[in-house]
Every structure is written in C-alpha cells, then in structure tokens.
Amino acid sequence: MKYRIAVIAGDGIGPEVIAEGVKTLEAVAEKDGRFSFEFEHFPWGCEYYLKEGRMMPENGIEILKGFDAILLGAVGYPGVPDHISLWDLLLTIRKEFDQYINVRPVKLLKGAPTPLKDATCDDIDMIFIRENSEGEYAGSGSWLYKGQPNEVVIQNGVFSRKGCERVIRYAFELARKEKKTLTSISKGNALNYSMVFWDQVFSEISKEYPDVTTYSYLVDAASMFMVKDPKRFEVVVTSNLFGDILTDLGAAIAGGMGLAAGANLNPERKFPSMFEPIHGSAPDIAGKKIASPLATIWSCAQMLEFLGYPEWEKRLIDIIEEILVEGEYLTPDLGGEATTEKVGDEVIKKIRN
Ligand code: NAD
Ligand code: IPM
Ligand code: MN
C-alpha cells in the first residue's frame, strides 16, 4: 500500500519541524513494511505570496484533492497580514475539504513539564474535539464605510444544526468508544442565540447516548477548571474559537507548544484530512533550529492512526514519552539543548530498534 502525502511545510519553523515529521513517517514505513509513503512538497505560504501574490495556486485545492492526507507545518509570517495568509491557505483547506473535526489531545506525558505543581499525568488526560468548519470562523460579516467616521464591522458566528450535530455526535461516539465522560464547553449565558442552540443540540444528542456521562461548562469556568482541576475533563467538545483558545491553554499545561498536536479530519474520507502541530510559525525562534519537532511527530502519529495503523500511533507516543523521560534529546522549550534535527534523529533511532 502506498500513501500519497501532500506536504505544505509553510512558514517560519514550519519547514524545520516538517523535515522531522517526514523522516519519522519514512522510518515507520520502512520498519513496518506493509506500506510506504510518497511525499510531494508544495512551497506554498508567505514567501510564495510575496512572489506570486497568492498563498497557493488558483487550483491548489484541486491539486490537493488527489492526496491521501496532508501534512502541514505552520502558516503566517510578519510581512503578510495574518488574516490573508491564514484565510487563503490553512482555513481554506479546512473548509474546502470539510475537515469539520479537529482532534487535539491534551495529555501530559511522563517527563513533560507542567506549570501545575500538583498535577500528575493521570490528571491531565483530555481529548479536545474542536468544531472546525463554522461557528466563529464562518467568515460571515461585513466592513461598512471602511475608514469613515461611521465605520461598522460585523463578524457573525454561524452555528448550523448540521454543523453542531455532527461534531457533537462525533464526540459522543468517541466518548462511548473510549468509555470516557464527555464535557461540552459553551457560553449560553451571554451568546444568547448561538450557544443556547449549541447547548440544546448537546442535550438532544445526549439522549441517544445514555451510557455516556456528560458535563456542560461555561467557557470561563472551564478555563479556570483546566488549571485548577484538570482531572474533570476527558473528552471535550466545543466550538471553533473556544477550541482554538482552550487548546493553547491545554498545551501550556501539558508540556507546551512543542508537544501539542492536531488532526483536521473529514471523517467521511471524501476529502483528504490534514495533520499539523497546533503551534504557529514561531517567528521568535525561526531559523535557530531549536523548535521542538515533537508536536509535528505526534500529528504524524495521528495520521498513522487515521490511515489504519493505531499501533503506530501508540508506538510513536511511547517514543515521545521515552525521549521526555530520558531528557537527553530535548529542545530548549522542553528544558534541553538539542536541535530540532537531533530530536528527530533520536525518534528514528527508536523506531528502528
Ligand atoms: P506560535 O505558536 O507560533 O508561538 C507561540 C510561542 O510558542 C512562541 O514563543 C514560540 O517560540 C513557541 N513555540 C511554538 N511552537 C514551538 C515549537 N515547536 N517548539 C518550541 N517553541 C515553540 O504563535 P504566535 O507567535 O501567536 O503566531 C506566529 C504566527 O503563526 C502568526 O502568523 C500566527 O497567525 C501563525 N499561526 C499559525 C498556525 C498554523 O499554521 N496552524 C497556528 C498558530 C499561529
Ligand atoms: C490553530 C491556529 C489557527 C486557528 C489560526 C492560525 C487561524 O491558531 O490551528 O490553532 O485559529 O485555527
Ligand atoms: Mn490556535
């Protein structure tokens, strides 16, 4: 079996971490023997924009359609406005390929640092299911009378019944399969249409899953409890923007941005899914070769699971944990002195053994 993977390394530390992700996938395929990867690299991103006036070619989505999966580094760099670079590449791919599920593990591995002084690995073990196609990111709005004294901007949240039901149902299925509780995070007290509706859909669907214990939190309280009592959360389902914010908070309590992985899934497999670390292009450390590749490698583990090799997902997470415990090959953000490449080399050494 050969998988065709589109690689969009992107900007800043994107290419540095992606190199290690590609190496990892190649080593896994070689060790396993049942499958192989063919990578095609696309130089799309901010540099491409400065040359070509666009983030990807006009037929970029058509080109990507033929691939089994997409591996993405990071998009966005000073010099190109963020709303252009992100909307015209990353967000376009998520939307065009209906990658409406964003799976983000918030799991403290052994050896990983956490600022929570009393928290153990058992306490921080969540999986976020972030709505990834609409909500606050629907792109609905207007900018009227731009630049004039009576200027008005409108940014609408769009919550469709279909959009809410499918992400909430996905989270229920996962909680049932993993025998875990499910927590919905919303804000119905202030967002009196969208989040009241979200809560209603959550409550309706929960009736189909009497075996799943559910909780519902307001997002402000949820962010407090993630720090004060993270054990409360197992599977979590939330809207696009809340999921974005809470998973950076999740990263902060579970080892940092250098470990935080994500998968943008089209569960129906009608379109390719996309795997990417949740961090950005980190302009502050770009080019220094010190970015942690472990978030990207964890995303590659998610890719392997999605392609049908859950044993490789587990193995890669175990390897990441071994590296954290041994402490010898870690980048500065994780308390070490290793380069990005050295960490990747160590992952590969462990895959081969
Ligand atoms: P960021 O995630 O790039 O960086 C935040 C902090 O985390 C920085 O101090 C950075 O050095 C650190 N960090 C991030 N990844 C790291 C890694 N692998 N190893 C070690 N340290 C790491 O967030 P930002 O600075 O707010 O955004 C920078 C740019 O990236 C912006 O243009 C933003 O829009 C974009 N962005 C893109 C994505 C994406 O492509 N998925 C995600 C987030 C931000
Ligand atoms: C993420 C990022 C993106 C998001 C940005 C860059 C548009 O922060 O993947 O978490 O908000 O989804
Ligand atoms: Mn984010």
Side-chain angles (χ1 to χ4, degrees):
M1 182 79 195
K2 181 190 274 182
Y3 297 106
R4 292 184 64 233
I5 310 296
V7 183
I8 305 171
D11 306 311
I13 61 168
E16 300 168 35
V17 294
I18 283 299
E20 307 312 311
V22 168
K23 246 162 72 177
T24 299
L25 289 172
E26 273 170 344
V28 166
E30 193 183 311
K31 176 78 181 176
D32 186 284
R34 287 173 295 172
F35 56 92
S36 62
F37 290 106
E38 185 183 292
F39 298 98
E40 195 166 329
H41 295 260
F42 296 98
W44 305 341
C46 289
E47 258 179 62
Y48 184 91
Y49 180 91
L50 294 175
K51 276 186 285 187
E52 307 288 337
R54 40 189 318 135
M55 291 298 292
M56 65 171 152
E58 215 176 330
N59 62 343
I61 289 295
E62 271 315 305
I63 294 171
L64 294 176
K65 253 186 199 152
F67 286 85
D68 294 305
I70 303 163
L71 180 63
L72 184 134
V75 180
Y77 216 68
V80 181
D82 264 356
H83 68 279
I84 292 176
S85 57
L86 275 312
W87 267 97
D88 293 356
L89 186 53
L90 179 77
L91 296 177
T92 297
I93 296 172
R94 287 182 186 166
K95 281 169 204 284
E96 289 292 318
F97 289 156
D98 206 17
Q99 296 166 346
Y100 62 90
I101 299 295
N102 194 189
V103 183
R104 296 187 162 185
V106 174
K107 183 176 168 59
L108 182 67
L109 299 182
K110 284 190 216 108
T114 177
L116 307 186
K117 65 180 168 42
D118 299 322
T120 67
C121 294
D122 288 339
D123 295 338
I124 303 177
D125 189 0
M126 328 172 187
I127 181 137
F128 267 75
I129 305 301
R130 166 188 177 190
E131 204 293 319
N132 212 33
S133 65
E134 53 168 34
E136 308 87 341
Y137 283 50
S140 157
S142 198
W143 198 317
L144 305 173
Y145 315 114
K146 206 169 192 168
Q148 296 174 43
N150 55 341
E151 155 170 70
V152 177
V153 289
I154 302 165
Q155 186 94 45
N156 297 305
V158 175
F159 291 75
S160 66
R161 176 164 281 280
K162 178 181 165 193
C164 294
E165 282 187 1
R166 65 185 183 176
V167 67
I168 289 172
R169 194 164 271 119
Y170 184 95
F172 268 106
E173 288 292 331
L174 180 68
R176 170 177 277 173
K177 187 171 127 231
E178 306 250 309
K179 296 193 172 32
K180 291 191 165 160
T181 64
L182 176 62
T183 298
S184 162
I185 297 179
S186 59
K187 185 69 186 171
N189 55 357
L191 303 181
N192 53 338
Y193 300 110
S194 58
M195 290 291 164
V196 172
F197 180 65
W198 173 281
D199 289 344
Q200 184 192 311
V201 173
F202 184 73
S203 153
E204 283 169 17
I205 294 185
S206 71
K207 300 203 170 62
E208 296 169 28
Y209 298 85
D211 50 315
V212 177
T213 302
T214 60
Y215 302 96
S216 192
Y217 287 100
L218 295 163
V219 66
D220 42 359
S223 41
M224 178 274 294
F225 280 129
M226 276 180 71
V227 171
K228 297 286 276 185
D229 190 18
K231 210 176 176 18
R232 288 171 185 245
F233 303 95
E234 294 182 2
V235 179
V236 178
V237 65
T238 191
S239 71
N240 210 332
L241 181 62
F242 292 171
D244 174 48
I245 299 166
L246 291 174
T247 53
D248 262 38
L249 174 60
I253 63 169
M257 299 310 287
L259 277 170
N264 304 275
L265 304 182
N266 173 247
E268 291 76 24
R269 296 172 195 258
K270 194 170 156 206
F271 303 107
S273 290
M274 176 163 67
F275 301 82
E276 49 159 350
I278 84 166
H279 62 70
S281 58
D284 54 337
I285 57 165
K288 295 188 177 156
K289 301 180 162 60
I290 54 163
S292 163
L294 295 176
T296 301
I297 289 169
W298 195 328
S299 305
C300 292
Q302 291 181 294
M303 182 195 290
L304 287 160
E305 196 273 340
F306 194 70
L307 294 176
Y309 309 98
E311 67 280 19
W312 273 112
E313 179 183 46
K314 187 176 178 313
R315 179 71 192 120
L316 285 185
I317 295 171
D318 286 348
I319 286 176
I320 293 171
E321 191 161 55
E322 278 172 37
I323 290 176
L324 286 163
V325 168
E326 289 161 10
E328 204 182 325
Y329 295 97
L330 293 175
T331 44
D333 57 302
L334 289 163
E337 290 174 6
T339 61
T340 309
E341 191 183 357
K342 279 271 176 285
V343 179
D345 289 346
E346 186 61 15
V347 170
I348 280 157
K349 208 170 103 194
K350 288 182 184 290
I351 290 168
R352 293 191 176 138
N353 285 338

